[in-house]
């Protein structure tokens, strides 16, 4: 029986590329999404991958949904925390609602999903968790104190959980993408996007597949000695 992989924010952009790569490799894949029913339906029709709608920022809803997924498809051995939103604004203009929405969806969701699968992973002696951070969580970004804080938090969360899971066969790693050609990035004004691309040494935006390829390595048996790491995939935009 193939291992079950759950990808949050899995029906579009980077999440869709990850789901497709996992399915092509023989995993049983389930995608989560938060609100776009039309896109989720099209995704499932296109890929054959089931999509479950639930709010990853809500602990009880996440716990119940994952219990249902495990009942339907089997225990989740691979978890990809990819769900994320932006609510940009400079600090002096940012509302608490903008701050809280991003922190809850991007960071608290990692606790909600991991808490729902960690006992099972520990009991089975195997788990692969990959958390999607961001270059802006490493370098910061003007107008994104909420997003940068959440993504930076993911990087610290990854290291701490990696220490807890290592002896139980659970690896926990993160990927920090740079600017990738997704709906979120395409929403940036064209003149701003041109300036961003000009700061990327390879001279282009990333592709969702660039991130998916790294996920495929991290979830494999070959990566069993790699945990607590953050892979920076940003075209050379930020090196440290």
């Amino acid at each position: 029986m193939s291992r079950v992989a759950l990808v949050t924010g899995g029906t579009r952009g980077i999440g869709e590329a990850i789901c497709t790569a996992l399915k092509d490799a023989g995993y049983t894949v389930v995608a989560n999404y938060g609100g776009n029913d039309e896109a989720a339906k099209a995704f499932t029709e296109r890929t054959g991958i089931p999509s479950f709608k639930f709010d990853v920022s809500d602990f009880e809803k996440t716990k119940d949904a994952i219990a249902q997924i495990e009942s339907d498809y089997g225990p989740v051995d691979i978890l990809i925390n990819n769900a994320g939103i932006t609510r940009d604004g400079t600090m002096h203009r940012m509302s608490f609602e903008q701050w809280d929405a991003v922190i809850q969806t991007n960071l608290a969701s990692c606790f909600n999903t991991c808490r729902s699968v960690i006992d099972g992973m520990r009991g089975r002696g195997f788990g692969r968790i990959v958390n999607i951070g961001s270059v802006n969580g490493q370098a910061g970004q003007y107008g994104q104190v909420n997003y940068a804080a959440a993504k930076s938090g993911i990087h610290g969360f990854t290291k701490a959980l990696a220490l807890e899971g290592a002896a139980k066969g659970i690896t926990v790693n993160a990927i920090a993408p740079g600017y990738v050609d997704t709906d979120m990035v395409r929403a940036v004004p064209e003149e701003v996007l041109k300036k961003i691309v000009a700061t990327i040494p390879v001279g282009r935006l990333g592709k969702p597949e660039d991130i998916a390829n790294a996920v495929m390595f991290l979830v494999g048996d070959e990566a069993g000695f790699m945990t607590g790491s953050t892979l920076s995939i940003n075209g050379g935009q930020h090196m440290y």
Side-chain angles (χ1 to χ4, degrees), residues 4-5 48 54 71 73 149 158 195 209 232:
V4 176
F54 60 93
S71 175
Y73 298 96
T158 295
K195 292 178 181 178
E209 292 75 17
S232 297

Side-chain angles (χ1 to χ4, degrees), residues 100-173:
D100 194 52
V102 170
I103 295 297
Q104 295 302 317
T105 299
N106 296 16
L107 178 58
S109 63
C110 291
F111 171 83
N112 296 341
T113 56
C114 288
R115 186 65 187 87
S116 299
V117 303
I118 198 71
D119 288 342
M121 288 181 175
R122 288 172 61 87
R124 294 186 299 275
F126 180 88
R128 294 286 186 268
I129 297 172
V130 181
N131 302 315
I132 306 300
S134 171
V135 63
N136 290 346
Q138 298 172 316
Q141 179 60 266
Y142 184 93
Q144 284 196 328
V145 294
N146 49 4
Y147 188 82
K151 292 299 188 177
S152 181
I154 284 174
H155 300 156
F157 176 96
T158 295
K159 295 177 187 297
L161 187 55
L163 291 172
E164 295 181 13
K168 295 293 185 179
I170 303 165
T171 66
V172 188
N173 292 288

